[in-house]
Amino acid sequence: MASSGFNNWNDPNAVSLSALKTTDNHFMPRILAHAPTHLIVVKAADLFNDGRIELVTGAFMIYPPYDRARA
């Protein structure tokens, strides 16, 4: 998992959350989200004890733009 706290958020294609899968010793990115932006932390856990992993992210929105604060 990779989160992006600092990015060019004026670009609507800027990625805020992605997963990296190893294939033949290469990392293959998979874009998971463009919003919310300013993500500085990501945690994976089975929050509901159902055998599925959920992702929880945290953001630090100290600089603009603020238009994609929610997903």
Side-chain angles (χ1 to χ4, degrees), residues 4-11 13-17 37-38 63-65:
S4 180
F6 299 95
N7 207 324
N8 179 10
W9 298 123
N10 292 313
D11 179 358
N13 294 315
V15 176
S16 61
L17 186 65
T37 58
H38 303 82
Y63 63 93

Side-chain angles (χ1 to χ4, degrees), residues 5-71:
F6 299 95
N7 207 324
N8 179 10
W9 298 123
N10 292 313
D11 179 358
N13 294 315
V15 176
S16 61
L17 186 65
S18 62
L20 299 169
K21 180 180 179 182
T22 304
T23 304
D24 297 326
N25 295 322
H26 292 85
F27 287 109
M28 301 298 295
R30 179 176 177 206
I31 296 172
L32 300 179
H34 296 280
T37 58
H38 303 82
L39 300 179
I40 60 170
V41 65
V42 60
K43 174 71 175 169
D46 183 2
L47 299 175
F48 304 108
N49 294 318
D50 59 2
R52 296 177 59 194
I53 300 297
E54 288 79 34
L55 300 176
V56 178
T57 59
F60 186 60
M61 299 190 174
I62 194 166
Y63 63 93
Y66 304 111
D67 62 334
R68 290 185 283 158
R70 297 183 184 154

